[in-house]
Amino acid sequence: MTGRPPRFLNLLILLALLLVWTGAGSIGYGQSADPASSNQEKARDLMARMTPEEKVGQLFLVSFNGDKVDETSPIYTLISRYHIGGVILLSKNNNFNSQTDILQNTYQLTSSLQRLDYSVSSAAPEAAEGAPVYVPLFISIAQEGDLYPNDQILSGTTALPNLMAIGATWDTSLAGRVGAVMGQELSALGFNLYLGPSLDVLDVLYISGREDLGVRSFGGDPYWVGEMGKAYLAGLHEGSQGRLAAIAKHFPGQGGSDRQPEAEIATVRKTFEQLKQIELAPFFAVTGSAGAPQTMVDGLLLSHIRYQGFQRNIRQSTLPLSFDRTALNDILGLNEFVPWRTAGGILVSDNLGSPAIRRYFDPIGNRFDARLVARDAFLAGNDLLYTDNFISSNDPDAATTLSRTLEFFAQKYREDSTFAQRVDSSLERLLALKFKLYPEFTIEQVIPGEAGLEGIGKSQQVTYDVAARAVTLISPEPEELTTVLPRPPQFNDRIVFITDTQTSRQCATCGDVPTIRTDALQSEVIRLYGPQAGGQVSRNLLSSYSFMDLYRFLEKQDDLPPVEDDLSLADWVVFVAQDYSASRPESQALRRLLSERPDLLRNKRVVVFAMNAPYYLDATDISKVTAYYALYSKAPPFIEVAAKVLFQEITPTGASPVSVPGIGYDLITATKPDPEQIISLSLDLPESPPANPTLTPEPTPVPTFKVGDTIPLKTGVILDHNRHPVPDGTPVRFLFATGGDQGVAQSVETYTVAGVARASYRIERAGLLEISVNSDPAFQSDRLQLNITGEESAAITAIVPTQAPTDTPSPTATETLAPTVTPSPTPTPMPKPEMGDWMLALAVTLGSGAVGLWLGVSLAQVRWGLRWAMCVVIGGLAAYNYLALDLPGSQALIEKGVTSGTVIVTVIGVFLGALAGGVWRWSEERRARSVNGSTSPGS
C-alpha cells in the first residue's frame, strides 16, 4: 500500500495534462490566437520603457544623402540621438552610389543602418534607467518596376515589368509571381518597408500635353486593379517570407488627376459616392475585403490630393487629404476600413518635403515652416511621416529641420496630454507592425543572411512571361492584320529602326545609361533572326536611329546622320516609342514625322511598338501606321518579345487595361459582357469528391424537383469583350417563365462574383417552367426546362442554343457548361468541434472512467480499477482529439452533426480504451501464472 499514493498522484497529473492538451486543441480550433493582438501587446510593453524622444522619433521616415553611415553623417545623429523610426533610400540622394557592385553595397548600407540603431541601445547597460530600447529601423524603397524613372535600383536586380504591363495580361497569377520576385529580392537586400503597389484607377482619358500616372497603375477598372493588387501583395509577402511590409498608394486614389502628384497638388472633382465606386474600390479589396492575411496590405500611403464635391458641395474642395482630418475620418469610417484600421493598419504620409507641398503651404517661397507642416500632417491621421528634402525656410539643411521638428514633437508630447495620446496610438501601430516583421527584436533576426544576394537578378523568366502575355495589337483588328502584314520581314527587306531613348544615372557620379539603346531592337532581331540564327535578315540592310536623330532631321539641323536617305530606301520602318512629354520635344518626333513628312513613309510597312502607355497616339496618327502594338514596358525581355512579334513568331494575346481613344477602345464597354457569347446555365449543386479517390466515382443521381422545392442555379463564367471574366458586381438577370409562351414571367437580379452569378427559385405551381439568364448586352444563354404534372417530381432538361456565333467557341450540349477558366467554388467549411462538444466528450469520458474504476475495484482490486479507468479516459480523449485535430477521415464522422459525431467517436474511444484495459489485465494474469508455474510450457 505504500506505493499507491505516488501512483495515484502520477495518474492525476497525467489526466490533468491530457485535459489541458485536449481543451487547448478544442479552443484553438474554434478561435486561434490573434497574432495582431499579440503584437499589440508586445508594442505596449515596449512603449512603457520608451522616453518621449524615442516615441516621437519612431513617427518619422527620413531620407539622407550618400551611402555613408559614420559619425560625420547627419543620419548617424538622427538614428543615435533622435531614434528615428526609419529611412527611405532614393537614387536621387545618391544612396546607391555604385554601378559595379550595387547589390553588395546596398546590402552593406542597410546592414550598417540597422547595426547603428542596435549599437545605440546595446551600448548602455540593459538595466540602466533610461537606457535606449532597441527598435529596428524601417528601411524603405519605392521600386515600381520598368527601371528608370520609377525604380531606385537600376541594375543588379531583376528588371521587372511595370504595373500596366501586368494589368494587360489580365492574369493575377503573373501579378503574384512578379510580386514574389520583388519581395524576395528587396528583403534579401535588407529592405522591410515597400512603398507600393499603386492601386490608382486610371479612369480618365488622356489629354495631350498633360502629365499622368501612365504605366504606374494596373489599369482603369476598379475590380481588376483590386484583384491584381491582391495577387501582387500575396506575392510580396510570400517572396519576402513575411519580412516586407507593403504600403499601397496613393490612397484614396489619384488616378483621376491630370498631373504627376510630386510636382503639384491635383484636384479631382468627384463625389463621395463616386470615390467609393471607383477610387476606393481597390483599397477596399486589400483591407477589410482582402479575405486572406497575405492579400491584405500593411499600410496605406496617404496622397496629397484634393477633392472637389467630396462634401456634397460641388464648389467646395477639401484640404490636401493628408492634412484634412475630417475628410480622412469620413473615409476611414467606412465599414470596409474599420476592421483593418482596428487590427493595426498604418497610414504613411506622402513626402512632406515635395515641391507640391512646399508650393501649397508657401506659394511665394519665403516661409515654409516644416515643424508645423509635420504637426498638421500627424494630427490629420498619419502614423508615419515621410520626409525628403524637408527643410524650413530659415534652416541650412534637412538635418537641422528634422532635429528641430523632433525636439518640437518631444516637447509637445510632455506638455500636451492629448497630443501624447495621439502619439501613443500611432506608435502602437508602428511597433506592432515591426513585431509582425520581427517577432523578436534581435539584430540576428533583423539583418538577412548575405547568402540571399546570390538569388537576386535571376528571375527574368517571369518578366518575359509577362511580356509575352501582355503584348497587345492596338490597330488594326486581328482579322485585318493578315491582310496588311501577310508576312514578316524577308531577307532582302531594308528595315529602319527608330527608338526613343532616354538617359538615366544611378547616382550623380555614375555614368549615363540609356533606358533603351538606340540599336536595342535591331540587335535583338540580329540575335534571333540574323546570320547565326537562321539567316532570315541581312545585317547590312538594317539601320537604327534615335528619336533625337529624327527630331534633329525635322528641325533641319546640321551634321545629321543619313536618316532621310535610309527612310527613303526602307521597306519597313519600325518605331520603338515611349511616353510623350512636353519636357522632351524629341518624344514628339514620331507624331511630327507622320504629319510633316508622310511622303517618307508612303508604301512602306510602318510598325509602332509602344513601350509605355498605349494612348499617346490619336486616331489620325494611328491611321497612318500599318500596325500599332502596345508592350507597356521597356525591360529587356519586352524588346525580345517585340522582335518576335515583328517576325510573327508571337501572336499578341493581351488587351489594353486602359481606354485608348485613338481607336475608340473604351474600357467600360470592353469589360461588359460579350454580346456574342452564350451564357451557360446549370444547377448549383455541391461538388462532393468520392470517398475513395482511387475508385471510379459512381454517376451522380439526376436531381428532381416538385412543387414547393427550391432550384439552385448558377451561370458559367461570363466573359467580357476581351474574353476575360467580367468584373465582380456585373448585373445578371435570371428569367423564369411559367405556362409556356403565354405564361407568366418573373426575374431575379443578382451580381457576379469571380465571373459567376447565382440565384434560386421556389416552384410555386405545376406546369412548364423555363429558365434563362442574361447580362446586358449578352442576351443568349442556355435554357433549362422543368415540366411538373400534379404532385410528381420531374428532372430538368438543358436546351443549348445551336446558333452559336462563328467567332466564339461553340458550347457543348451538356447540362453544366463551364469554360476551363471557371474557378472551383470555395467548398463550404465542414463543421468542427467547439467548446460545448469538448465538454460533452469530457463528461462522457470521465463518466465512463468512473464506471471503469468501479468495475475494476469490484472485479479485481483498486490498482486495476485505476488502470482500467486510465485506459478508458485516454481512449475517450484520444478519440476526441482525432476529430479536433482534423485528421484524415474525421470529417466523414461528423457530416451528419458535430454533437452526435462527437458522442459516437468518444464512445468508440472509451470502448477501445476499456478493451485495452481488459487485454492489459488478461496479459498480466497470464504472465503471473507463468511465473508461478501454473501454466505449462506448451500451453
Side-chain angles (χ1 to χ4, degrees):
M1 295 295 293
T2 57
R4 286 183 181 175
R7 291 175 184 170
F8 185 70
L9 182 60
N10 290 339
L11 180 59
L12 288 178
I13 292 173
L14 176 61
L15 289 175
L17 291 173
L18 284 170
L19 293 177
V20 170
W21 172 55
T22 310
S26 174
I27 294 170
Y29 226 23
Q31 46 182 24
S32 60
D34 183 5
S37 176
S38 173
N39 292 332
Q40 289 169 344
E41 290 175 5
K42 289 181 183 178
R44 287 191 287 268
D45 290 342
L46 187 61
M47 288 167 58
R49 297 186 280 123
M50 297 176 71
T51 65
E53 286 76 11
E54 290 174 312
K55 288 183 175 181
V56 301
Q58 288 295 313
L59 307 178
F60 286 81
L61 181 74
V62 309
S63 66
F64 65 97
N65 289 316
D67 60 350
K68 305 300 180 187
V69 184
D70 53 34
E71 296 184 5
T72 64
S73 62
I75 193 62
Y76 182 94
T77 303
L78 290 172
I79 294 175
S80 61
R81 179 177 175 184
Y82 292 100
H83 316 286
I84 57 169
V87 299
I88 180 168
L89 302 187
L90 302 167
S91 60
K92 73 181 186 66
N93 289 340
N94 299 313
N95 296 140
F96 309 101
N97 216 4
S98 172
Q99 286 179 306
T100 56
D101 203 4
I102 190 169
L103 298 184
Q104 184 65 39
N105 287 357
T106 301
Y107 175 80
Q108 293 298 335
L109 176 58
T110 61
S111 301
S112 298
L113 289 165
Q114 295 288 14
R115 287 196 179 95
L116 170 59
D117 187 31
Y118 176 74
S119 66
V120 173
S121 58
S122 61
E126 188 173 347
E129 184 176 351
V133 298
Y134 172 54
V135 180
L137 290 168
F138 281 134
I139 300 185
S140 180
I141 190 170
Q143 186 90 347
E144 299 184 12
D146 202 31
L147 303 174
Y148 178 85
N150 299 318
D151 278 353
Q152 305 304 317
I153 302 175
L154 303 179
S155 61
T157 58
T158 299
L160 292 172
N162 56 48
L163 300 187
M164 187 176 286
I166 300 171
T169 69
W170 302 80
D171 186 342
T172 55
S173 67
L174 286 172
R177 288 175 59 193
V178 174
V181 173
M182 184 74 79
Q184 179 260 319
E185 296 192 349
L186 292 182
S187 62
L189 288 169
F191 294 99
N192 56 19
L193 191 71
Y194 177 68
L195 299 188
S198 166
L199 297 181
D200 299 306
V201 180
L202 286 176
D203 70 321
V204 296
L205 297 179
Y206 169 73
I207 300 175
S208 180
R210 290 192 178 179
E211 301 286 342
D212 67 340
L213 287 175
V215 293
R216 299 172 66 188
S217 166
F218 285 114
D221 182 84
Y223 167 75
W224 280 104
V225 171
E227 291 299 295
M228 291 291 182
K230 286 165 60 177
Y232 194 94
L233 287 167
L236 280 171
H237 290 139
E238 177 186 351
S240 66
Q241 298 182 342
R243 296 301 178 92
L244 186 68
I247 311 298
K249 55 188 184 183
H250 303 85
F251 184 74
Q254 58 186 27
S257 64
D258 56 3
R259 60 205 67 203
Q260 291 281 6
E262 294 85 359
E264 183 180 357
I265 291 176
T267 299
V268 173
R269 184 171 179 171
K270 285 190 177 175
T271 65
F272 196 19
E273 288 303 316
Q274 289 174 316
L275 279 181
K276 288 194 289 185
Q277 293 173 13
I278 301 175
E279 273 84 351
L280 290 176
F283 294 101
F284 290 158
V286 299
T287 52
S289 303
Q294 63 268 27
T295 63
M296 185 175 295
V297 77
D298 300 288
L300 300 173
L301 185 110
L302 194 53
S303 66
H304 307 314
I305 196 166
R306 306 178 71 187
Y307 289 100
Q308 186 177 10
F310 176 86
Q311 294 155 325
R312 298 171 181 82
N313 183 346
I314 199 62
R315 294 178 177 82
Q316 183 178 359
S317 297
T318 66
L319 298 172
L321 209 66
S322 47
F323 294 87
D324 195 324
R325 183 192 310 178
T326 301
L328 184 57
N329 286 342
D330 285 345
I331 294 175
L332 294 179
L334 294 171
N335 293 334
E336 290 83 356
F337 292 126
V338 170
W340 172 82
R341 185 71 167 150
T342 303
I346 70 168
L347 294 181
V348 182
S349 77
D350 208 342
N351 181 19
L352 298 180
S354 68
I357 287 295
R358 299 188 72 91
R359 185 180 300 178
Y360 179 81
F361 284 99
D362 183 23
I364 59 177
N366 61 2
R367 181 82 183 152
F368 181 74
D369 192 333
R371 296 180 309 164
L372 299 184
V373 169
R375 180 203 63 187
D376 292 348
F378 177 67
L379 292 178
N382 294 282
D383 300 307
L384 187 63
L385 304 176
Y386 165 26
T387 61
D388 173 51
N389 194 33
F390 191 61
I391 308 175
S392 291
S393 295
N394 297 323
D395 288 341
D397 51 43
T400 302
T401 296
L402 282 168
S403 301
R404 291 175 177 174
T405 302
L406 287 158
E407 291 167 356
F408 169 68
F409 268 54
Q411 179 182 359
K412 194 166 181 60
Y413 183 95
R414 289 187 168 91
E415 297 174 353
D416 187 339
S417 60
T418 302
F419 185 81
Q421 290 176 358
R422 174 72 186 84
V423 170
D424 289 344
S425 176
S426 287
L427 180 59
E428 182 180 320
R429 291 191 183 93
L430 296 172
L431 292 179
L433 178 55
K434 290 185 176 182
F435 275 118
K436 179 181 176 182
L437 299 174
Y438 311 111
E440 299 295 334
F441 286 175
T442 63
I443 196 66
E444 293 78 15
Q445 280 205 12
V446 171
I447 297 180
E450 193 168 354
L453 299 180
E454 294 297 323
I456 298 179
K458 299 178 180 179
S459 300
Q460 288 298 102
Q461 183 62 46
V462 67
T463 305
Y464 178 86
D465 291 346
V466 171
R469 289 286 301 279
V471 61
T472 305
L473 176 61
I474 302 296
S475 176
E477 294 294 332
E479 58 271 16
E480 299 173 6
L481 184 63
T482 55
T483 302
V484 296
L485 288 179
R487 57 176 178 79
Q490 303 297 297
F491 181 80
N492 293 322
D493 286 348
R494 293 181 177 271
I495 310 174
V496 174
F497 300 94
I498 303 179
T499 302
D500 184 12
T501 184
Q502 307 175 47
T503 57
S504 63
R505 284 188 176 186
Q506 182 64 77
C507 62
T509 59
C510 300
D512 288 340
V513 177
T515 55
I516 307 177
R517 296 193 332 270
T518 300
D519 65 343
L521 185 53
Q522 175 181 326
S523 297
E524 199 63 30
V525 166
I526 292 173
R527 183 181 74 85
L528 294 172
Y529 307 104
Q532 305 302 318
Q536 291 180 247
V537 296
S538 171
R539 186 193 301 267
N540 296 330
L541 298 179
L542 310 183
S543 59
S544 294
Y545 299 96
S546 68
F547 268 41
M548 179 59 77
D549 293 330
L550 182 59
Y551 170 75
R552 292 177 58 218
F553 161 68
L554 295 171
E555 289 289 306
K556 300 178 181 178
Q557 296 181 8
D558 297 329
D559 300 324
L560 296 174
V563 180
E564 184 174 15
D565 293 340
D566 280 350
L567 285 175
S568 300
L569 297 172
D571 300 291
W572 294 74
V573 181
V574 181
F575 294 92
V576 180
Q578 297 194 55
D579 62 331
Y580 293 82
S581 171
S583 62
R584 293 194 310 117
E586 72 274 14
S587 66
Q588 300 289 334
L590 167 59
R591 302 190 67 188
R592 287 187 57 186
L593 180 67
L594 292 173
S595 62
E596 296 175 18
R597 293 297 305 272
D599 56 297
L600 292 176
L601 303 176
R602 191 171 294 123
N603 298 323
K604 304 180 190 304
R605 294 176 178 87
V606 180
V607 178
V608 177
F609 291 109
M611 316 305 286
N612 202 280
Y615 43 63
Y616 293 116
L617 296 182
D618 60 27
T620 303
D621 298 328
I622 295 173
S623 69
K624 298 175 182 178
V625 304
T626 310
Y628 179 30
Y629 299 95
L631 282 100
Y632 310 97
S633 178
K634 56 184 178 293
F638 285 81
I639 301 296
E640 178 181 349
V641 168
K644 290 181 177 179
V645 169
L646 179 64
F647 280 80
Q648 300 180 7
E649 185 177 338
I650 288 180
T651 300
T653 59
S656 175
V658 293
S659 297
V660 184
I663 61 168
Y665 176 82
D666 176 63
L667 188 65
I668 294 177
T669 301
T671 52
K672 287 183 177 180
D674 181 2
E676 301 301 322
Q677 69 185 306
I678 298 175
I679 302 174
S680 66
L681 180 62
S682 64
L683 296 176
D684 190 9
L685 301 176
E687 296 183 6
S688 54
N692 188 344
T694 62
L695 299 178
T696 303
E698 296 182 1
T700 303
V702 177
T704 58
F705 300 90
K706 61 181 183 299
V707 175
D709 288 347
T710 298
I711 306 174
L713 301 161
K714 70 174 181 180
T715 68
V717 174
I718 301 175
L719 303 177
D720 66 14
H721 288 67
N722 292 322
R723 310 301 291 173
H724 303 121
V726 294
D728 280 8
T730 299
V732 177
R733 294 181 67 203
F734 288 81
L735 304 175
F736 306 91
T738 57
D741 295 337
Q742 305 302 319
V744 180
Q746 301 178 49
S747 66
V748 174
E749 183 164 307
T750 183
Y751 301 93
T752 57
V753 175
V756 176
R758 287 176 164 82
S760 59
Y761 178 79
R762 189 175 186 275
I763 304 171
E764 299 289 350
R765 61 176 64 87
L768 179 64
L769 172 65
E770 184 168 290
I771 308 169
S772 60
V773 66
N774 67 56
S775 182
D776 188 20
F779 293 103
Q780 298 185 85
S781 79
D782 297 345
R783 288 180 295 145
L784 303 182
Q785 284 189 349
L786 180 66
N787 195 2
I788 298 178
T789 58
E791 306 247 341
E792 297 181 0
S793 298
I796 284 184
T797 302
I799 301 177
V800 181
T802 57
Q803 60 274 20
T806 57
D807 60 342
T808 58
S810 300
T812 55
T814 58
E815 181 178 343
T816 303
L817 298 173
T820 56
V821 296
T822 303
S824 300
T826 303
T828 303
M830 292 296 295
K832 303 180 186 299
E834 300 291 346
M835 179 63 75
D837 303 301
W838 176 61
M839 297 298 293
L840 179 61
L842 185 61
V844 172
T845 301
L846 294 181
S848 302
V851 173
L853 177 64
W854 176 75
L855 286 174
V857 173
S858 301
L859 299 176
Q861 50 186 299
V862 173
R863 175 166 61 96
W864 277 106
L866 292 174
R867 289 179 177 179
W868 213 342
M870 181 179 68
C871 289
V872 168
V873 171
I874 290 175
L877 295 183
Y880 173 75
N881 274 280
Y882 175 70
L883 290 183
L885 297 178
D886 199 17
L887 296 175
S890 61
Q891 291 295 341
L893 299 173
I894 56 175
E895 286 182 347
K896 301 299 183 182
V898 177
T899 302
S900 60
T902 300
V903 172
I904 293 171
V905 171
T906 305
V907 169
I908 293 173
V910 165
F911 173 76
L912 293 176
L915 183 60
V919 173
W920 188 6
R921 169 66 177 165
W922 173 77
S923 64
E924 282 290 305
E925 287 185 347
R926 186 180 181 195
R927 185 179 64 83
R929 286 197 300 269
S930 175
V931 171
N932 294 332
S934 58
T935 304
S936 64
S939 62

